[in-house]
Every structure is written in C-alpha cells, then in structure tokens.
C-alpha cells in the first residue's frame, strides 16, 4: 500500500536560518507530488507541484524553493527563513480519486 | 485564477443537529473532493464527485455536486462529537500537465453536548 512520510513533525527556527523539509512516498512510482502551506486557522495554499524528477512548478512567488531529486522524494527549502514563513506545511501525492497528505510539519519562525 | 469559496466559515451545533457546508467555484470543475481535518491533524480524503448532479452518501454524510459542476455541498445528519473538525472542499482544475487541487477556505464544525 502507498504511504507518505513527512518530517520533522515540528520545527522552531530562527529568522534567517535555512530550512529543509523532506517528504517521501512509498508504494507508488512517478507520483505527482505537492507542497501546501496552511496558516493558522486558514485554508491550504498550493506552493509547488512536481510531475517528475527535476520538474518543479511554483504557484506563488515566495521565499521558498522545492526540489525533486528522486522519483519519490520531494524537498521544500529556504536559504533564509522569514517570520511569515511560519505555518503548517503539508506534502501530498495524488492518486486517481484524491490526494493523500503527509502528517505535516509545523514550522515556527522566531 | 481559480477560486473556491466555502461557507460558513464556522458552525457550532448541538449534538444531534444537522450541519451543511457549501462550496462554490468561479469556474467549472473537473471534479470536487472533500476532506476532513481534525484539530491538530492533516486533511484526510473523504470523497470525490465527478458527474454533474452526482450525490453520494457515507453513513450520515451526504455529498452533492451541482448540475453546472460549479458548486457542491456536504450535509451531516445528526452530528456527533466525532464530527468535530474542519471540512474542506477542493476543486480539481486540469492544467494540462498536472491536475491541481484548489482548496476552499474550510468550514470549522464544533459540536456541543
């Protein structure tokens, strides 16, 4: 069966520090992968999606970047975090009927 | 760009009362999906509706997709405390390279004893 792993679960980082969040999928090949961000009490905003290795599409201009070095690995990064980068980051993969989300990373930038 | 609006933003009900959340898109959708997010958790897929006018049921939950495929609703009959959470609709817009979900703003349901 397909599973999606996301880590870490929580993260507190100082302003200006780098960021790397990793997401891996098991049990499927060539999945479409997505990074979403959810501000506290708000909806989900699509940040990046990828249809294959090295293929990244950005939805909104921001301080973040994404990479897909392997088929089932999706990484969200930043060189220098801003306070406004705080939020709940969710990785997801799509299958024919829906999306499966990882358990998310709660990032607090202080 | 594509937008999906959802109302109400919050809903408090007494246990046993019914609950409905409504979702509207600015453009025609390929399909619509519904997700539930428990407090502190991540969204979990509930259902997908594809056909115009489609109605699907899951126990006490009834999902409808509008005839024009621009709106949808989720109705919960006789709410229970286990129904607490935020319900999101999400519209699927085909871009040619990847289908992208655009999430509604969500309806937070609180069930009071």
């Amino acid at each position: 069966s397909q599973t999606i792993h996301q880590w870490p679960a929580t993260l507190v980082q100082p302003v200006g520090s780098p960021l790397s969040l990793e997401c891996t999928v098991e049990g499927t090949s060539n999945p479409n992968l997505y990074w979403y961000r959810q501000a506290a009490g708000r909806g989900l905003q699509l940040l990046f999606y990828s249809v294959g290795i090295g293929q990244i599409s950005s939805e909104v201009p921001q301080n973040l970047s994404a990479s897909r070095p392997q088929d089932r690995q999706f990484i969200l990064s930043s060189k220098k975090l801003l306070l406004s980068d705080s939020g709940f980051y969710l990785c997801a993969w799509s299958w024919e009927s829906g999306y499966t989300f990882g358990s998310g990373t709660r990032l607090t930038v202080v | 760009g594509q937008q999906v609006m959802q109302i109400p933003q919050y809903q408090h009900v007494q246990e046993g009362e019914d609950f409905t959340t409504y979702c509207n898109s600015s453009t025609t959708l390929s399909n619509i999906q519904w997700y539930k997010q428990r407090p502190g958790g991540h969204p979990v897929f509930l259902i997908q509706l594809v056909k115009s006018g489609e109605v699907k049921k899951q126990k006490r939950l009834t999902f409808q997709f509008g005839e024009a495929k621009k709106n949808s609703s989720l109705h919960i009959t006789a709410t229970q405390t286990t129904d607490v959470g935020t319900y999101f609709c999400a519209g699927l817009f085909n871009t040619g390279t990847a289908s992208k979900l655009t999430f509604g703003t969500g309806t937070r349901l609180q069930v009071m004893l």
Side-chain angles (χ1 to χ4, degrees):
Chain A
S1 63
Q2 300 88 356
T3 56
I4 181 167
H5 302 280
Q6 195 178 338
W7 66 92
T10 59
L11 194 58
V12 180
Q13 291 285 102
V15 169
S17 64
L19 173 74
S20 181
L21 302 180
E22 189 165 342
C23 170
T24 58
V25 181
E26 295 178 359
T28 184
S29 59
N30 197 31
N32 288 343
L33 297 174
Y34 307 83
W35 278 110
Y36 282 85
R37 177 170 61 198
Q38 186 176 35
R42 305 286 296 276
L44 287 84
Q45 179 187 34
L46 178 62
L47 302 176
F48 301 95
Y49 69 91
S50 172
V51 299
I53 296 174
Q55 300 180 63
I56 308 295
S57 295
S58 174
E59 286 297 293
V60 293
Q62 59 206 313
N63 186 42
L64 302 167
S65 62
S67 62
R68 187 167 175 177
Q70 300 180 42
D71 181 45
R72 287 170 282 182
Q73 184 184 30
F74 204 22
I75 297 173
L76 183 69
S77 304
S78 174
K79 292 183 179 179
K80 288 185 178 181
L81 284 169
L82 306 172
L83 286 175
S84 58
D85 292 324
S86 293
F88 189 36
Y89 289 83
L90 292 152
C91 178
W93 72 279
S94 61
W95 42 289
E96 61 180 29
S97 294
Y99 281 26
T100 297
F101 285 87
S103 52
T105 295
R106 296 195 184 279
L107 172 66
T108 303
V109 182
V110 296
Chain B
Q2 299 93 353
Q3 289 188 336
V4 179
M5 306 302 294
Q6 198 172 343
I7 57 169
Q9 188 175 5
Y10 302 99
Q11 185 80 58
H12 290 194
V13 299
Q14 292 290 135
E15 189 177 39
E17 291 182 338
D18 292 355
F19 159 77
T20 305
T21 173
Y22 301 90
C23 184
N24 287 284
S25 168
S26 55
T27 58
T28 302
L29 300 166
S30 297
N31 67 50
I32 195 151
Q33 301 173 17
W34 285 90
Y35 292 78
K36 177 182 179 181
Q37 184 176 23
R38 293 183 183 276
H42 58 278
V44 175
F45 174 81
L46 294 177
I47 207 161
Q48 175 181 262
L49 303 171
V50 179
K51 300 177 183 177
S52 169
E54 188 171 13
V55 178
K56 287 187 176 180
K57 291 189 175 184
Q58 289 180 350
K59 296 183 180 178
R60 295 179 292 105
L61 278 62
T62 301
F63 304 84
Q64 291 188 320
F65 201 9
E67 294 289 341
K69 299 184 73 172
K70 286 187 176 183
N71 56 71
S72 181
S73 66
L74 158 60
H75 179 82
I76 302 178
T77 304
T79 54
Q80 301 174 359
T81 55
T82 53
D83 295 325
V84 166
T86 301
Y87 292 84
F88 292 98
C89 63
L92 194 66
F93 301 90
N94 282 318
T95 66
T97 54
S99 296
K100 299 184 294 181
L101 272 185
T102 297
F103 280 79
T105 45
T107 297
R108 184 181 300 177
L109 172 64
Q110 185 61 254
V111 179
M112 298 172 290
L113 294 173

